Amino acid sequence: MDVECEVSAAAAAAVTNGLGGGGQPSAAPVAAEQLDVEAYAAQYSGRTRVARLIFISERCGVEAVELEALRMAHDEARAREDTTLYLEAVAKINGRLAPRYRHDQAWVDSVNRRAEQRKEKLETELNGYRTNLIKESIRMGYNDIGDFFYGHGHLSEAFKSYIRTRDYCTTSKHIVQMCMHVILVSIELGQFAHVINYVSKAEQTPDTLDAVIVAKLRAAAGLANLETKKYKLAARKFLETGPELGSNYSEVIAPQDVAVYGALCALASFDRSELKSKVIDNINFRNFLELVPEVRELVNDFYASRYGSCLEHLEKLKPNLLLDIHLREHLETLYNDIRHKAIVQYTIPFISVDLNTMASAFKSSVSMLEKELAALITENKIQARIDSHNKILYARHADQRNATFQRALQTGNEFERDIKAMLLRANIIKHDFTQKNWPGPRKMNL
């Protein structure tokens, strides 16, 4: 299989789904004075820490927070000797910090020179392994080159090197290691179809997987399904993530993220029974929810039909969630789905609802609520009609009595038809009116 075809040109240019800073800042900046950048960054490690800091700097709208995020991104990129992220951070700082945060071309040249020497050494070693045809050494050689490219920000090259190791994997452990490497790079490249594919490959290995590996695979699958807008499937994967994950996957996701992503996707896509059994009564997921008490409270409020309180919690969380590199693009959709589900559930028990009372419960104006209800009625999510003059919503409940009679009549008609067919068959057999097989070959006179 040609490795080149597995990395699209768009992925190579985009680099890390915005992790390389290709996207433009949002036109509407988010006020985030309350964000503790240092505490937030401490949850992550590796490239994703730098990427998330740069993402925050682009979208926070508060200069103090922006410069703090860029300062930390600069220091982390320099410590990692990742010249790609270093140059991006320096360009965004644009001389607004101390002189040591300005462009240092001598340092860049020095790092690139050492990197080139290291690359030549690794390639020479790999060529030696290939000449000797030692599969394990070849696999390790490709892994070393993949690690080198990943560490220096050349994600497409790292992806190709990791993919090449699969022809030299001799054990299930090797296959799982290859899959984990490919999943990590694919997440940063934004190639989530590859993530789902290699999660499946890793799960299909015959040997029993370590609990930490299983937790990582669930979290990666949840993230991939979130990015592809399969929110219900994403919720299931996050809810299946075991507490063994802890901080063992900080290069991709923090346990707090699992709680937030899983809870929001579940609220947007699960019905009440699923919410109870798979979220509230889920002991493993409860461990994640304990890390984010606000999210735990909004889940409980939603299930207890305290919709006003639930929506208030969501609004308080929104500024910080808009600074999340994976959640930002999906936040409005998830919030709208959660709100619409709350409105639908609020109306189910009642024959009529006073829109003024309902608007008060949802912390909304009557006119805005009326528009939302009209849209839900049009989409056939609510069976009701609106009295705009008196501001009352009247439910259109099915006539259960009439429906029961109709089902009884239909069942009677079907029974009568079957009995008549049985009697007809019995009489035909009794009077020997059945067609019998003709003995011997039949001749036809033409």
Side-chain angles (χ1 to χ4, degrees):
M1 181 178 179
D2 189 4
V3 175
E4 302 287 342
C5 69
E6 296 219 23
V7 183
S8 68
V15 183
T16 72
N17 191 29
L19 301 185
Q24 294 297 321
S26 173
V30 179
E33 295 91 340
Q34 72 273 29
L35 179 66
D36 186 340
V37 180
E38 189 171 351
Y40 178 81
Q43 300 175 86
Y44 306 99
S45 63
R47 285 181 56 84
T48 193
R49 177 186 288 181
V50 184
R52 286 173 180 267
L53 288 168
I54 292 175
F55 187 87
I56 289 170
S57 73
E58 292 174 340
R59 291 162 174 82
C60 67
V62 180
E63 188 176 19
V65 176
E66 176 189 355
L67 291 177
E68 176 65 11
L70 288 173
R71 181 190 65 77
M72 294 180 66
H74 172 280
D75 292 345
E76 181 71 19
R78 186 156 182 149
R80 288 176 51 80
E81 295 193 345
D82 189 327
T83 54
T84 305
L85 292 175
Y86 168 79
L87 292 172
E88 184 178 355
V90 168
K92 291 183 182 299
I93 291 171
N94 195 25
R96 291 179 290 169
L97 292 174
R100 67 182 291 262
Y101 292 100
R102 292 174 184 167
H103 180 64
D104 187 348
Q105 186 60 44
W107 178 82
V108 173
D109 292 341
S110 173
V111 170
N112 287 339
R113 190 163 48 250
R114 289 199 303 273
E116 190 62 32
Q117 292 171 356
R118 173 70 175 159
K119 177 184 173 185
E120 289 177 2
K121 180 183 177 183
L122 290 173
E123 288 179 342
T124 301
E125 290 177 352
L126 177 61
N127 289 333
Y129 298 148
R130 294 176 68 179
T131 301
N132 296 329
L133 298 176
I134 304 172
K135 293 186 72 173
E136 176 60 12
S137 297
I138 295 172
R139 185 188 71 83
M140 293 178 65
Y142 276 124
N143 266 339
D144 290 341
I145 291 178
D147 292 343
F148 166 81
F149 281 129
Y150 178 78
H152 287 81
H154 304 297
L155 300 181
S156 297
E157 296 301 320
F159 182 92
K160 295 171 189 175
S161 296
Y162 289 140
I163 285 290
R164 289 190 178 109
T165 64
R166 65 185 170 191
D167 294 331
Y168 304 97
C169 292
T170 55
T171 66
S172 297
K173 185 178 179 180
H174 294 164
I175 294 171
V176 171
Q177 185 184 45
M178 179 271 295
C179 290
M180 296 306 295
H181 283 148
V182 173
I183 288 167
L184 175 62
V185 179
S186 296
I187 288 173
E188 297 199 21
L189 282 168
Q191 295 292 298
F192 294 101
H194 286 320
V195 175
I196 294 172
N197 184 23
Y198 281 90
V199 166
S200 178
K201 285 181 185 293
E203 290 176 338
Q204 290 171 5
T205 53
D207 294 348
T208 303
L209 296 175
D210 181 71
V212 175
I213 294 294
V214 173
K216 288 182 178 182
L217 292 173
R218 295 286 190 275
L223 196 57
N225 284 296
L226 171 65
E227 292 284 4
T228 52
K229 300 183 179 180
K230 299 174 182 175
Y231 300 127
K232 190 164 190 175
L233 193 53
R236 288 175 178 168
K237 294 299 181 182
F238 285 127
L239 294 172
E240 291 171 1
T241 303
E244 297 83 6
L245 182 73
S247 58
N248 292 311
Y249 212 21
S250 59
E251 65 271 26
V252 173
I253 194 170
Q256 290 87 340
D257 295 332
V258 174
V260 174
Y261 300 169
L264 292 181
C265 289
L267 288 174
S269 57
F270 283 3
D271 57 32
R272 282 183 63 81
S273 61
E274 286 179 310
L275 195 64
K276 174 68 172 171
S277 61
K278 296 180 180 178
V279 181
I280 296 174
D281 293 341
N282 186 331
I283 296 174
N284 287 337
F285 192 67
R286 194 181 302 162
N287 294 324
F288 291 106
L289 287 178
E290 293 297 330
L291 300 173
V292 194
E294 299 90 345
V295 175
R296 181 194 62 206
E297 290 304 317
L298 75 87
V299 170
N300 290 330
D301 284 342
F302 187 92
Y303 183 74
S305 301
R306 297 189 291 268
Y307 300 120
S309 176
C310 173
L311 296 175
E312 279 184 358
H313 282 302
L314 286 172
E315 286 305 314
K316 288 178 182 177
L317 289 169
K318 191 172 185 179
N320 285 351
L321 295 182
L322 284 170
L323 299 177
D324 187 283
I325 197 168
H326 294 297
L327 196 58
R328 179 183 175 86
E329 298 302 321
H330 307 276
L331 199 62
E332 287 300 325
T333 301
L334 290 171
Y335 268 44
N336 287 334
D337 288 348
I338 292 169
R339 182 176 176 84
H340 291 165
K341 182 160 288 188
I343 291 173
V344 170
Q345 291 189 6
Y346 185 95
T347 62
I348 287 174
F350 303 109
I351 295 175
S352 63
V353 179
D354 187 329
L355 295 189
N356 293 292
T357 305
M358 189 174 178
S360 176
F362 280 89
K363 304 293 191 294
S364 175
S365 65
V366 175
S367 58
M368 288 298 297
L369 180 62
E370 194 171 338
K371 289 179 181 179
E372 287 184 279
L373 288 168
L376 292 171
I377 291 170
T378 303
E379 295 169 7
N380 206 31
K381 292 181 180 178
I382 296 179
Q383 303 296 324
R385 57 188 176 83
I386 300 173
D387 183 345
S388 294
H389 179 69
N390 295 314
K391 302 301 179 186
I392 296 176
L393 179 76
Y394 291 102
R396 289 177 176 169
H397 293 297
D399 188 342
Q400 297 294 337
R401 186 169 181 269
N402 183 56
T404 302
F405 276 124
Q406 292 299 326
R407 286 198 300 271
L409 288 172
Q410 182 180 357
T411 302
N413 290 334
E414 291 174 354
F415 180 75
E416 183 182 5
R417 182 197 62 199
D418 293 342
I419 291 297
K420 286 182 176 179
M422 291 170 62
L423 290 172
L424 177 61
R425 176 173 173 78
N427 282 323
I428 287 174
I429 293 172
K430 179 180 178 180
H431 293 89
D432 199 23
F433 284 170
T434 55
Q435 177 72 40
K436 295 182 179 179
N437 291 331
W438 190 270
R442 297 182 62 182
K443 294 182 180 180
M444 185 178 292
N445 295 324
L446 299 177

